[in-house]
Amino acid sequence: MKRPRLRMTQLVGLLLLLASGVGLWLGWPEKVTSLLLVAGGLVAHGPTVIAAWREREFKPPKSPEKVLRWYPKWWA
């Protein structure tokens, strides 16, 4: 996701989280504040979590030589 769009979605997510906090403070119904809280979390953190998952999921595995060089010789 592009940087300005990512910043904008994080800002919208933060505003939704703040709205849920204001709703708790003002005594809004629990369903409304819960939905705002979940929506704010998904909007704020969703794009970065998905990007990290995609990077981790599609990264080729390391070769055994690269992995084994960090272990002591007696381990291998």
Side-chain angles (χ1 to χ4, degrees), residues 16-38:
L16 285 170
L17 288 171
L18 288 174
S20 70
V22 168
L24 284 172
W25 188 47
L26 293 177
W28 292 354
E30 289 182 18
K31 282 193 175 190
V32 173
T33 54
S34 298
L35 287 175
L36 282 173
L37 185 66
V38 169

Side-chain angles (χ1 to χ4, degrees), residues 20-66:
S20 70
V22 168
L24 284 172
W25 188 47
L26 293 177
W28 292 354
E30 289 182 18
K31 282 193 175 190
V32 173
T33 54
S34 298
L35 287 175
L36 282 173
L37 185 66
V38 169
L42 287 175
V43 170
H45 298 291
T48 53
V49 169
I50 291 171
W53 173 77
R54 282 184 181 163
E55 181 181 327
R56 185 175 60 246
E57 186 73 23
F58 299 116
K59 194 184 292 185
K62 292 183 180 180
S63 67
E65 292 82 20
K66 285 187 176 182

Side-chain angles (χ1 to χ4, degrees), residues 10 13 15 25:
Q10 287 176 339
L15 290 175
W25 188 47

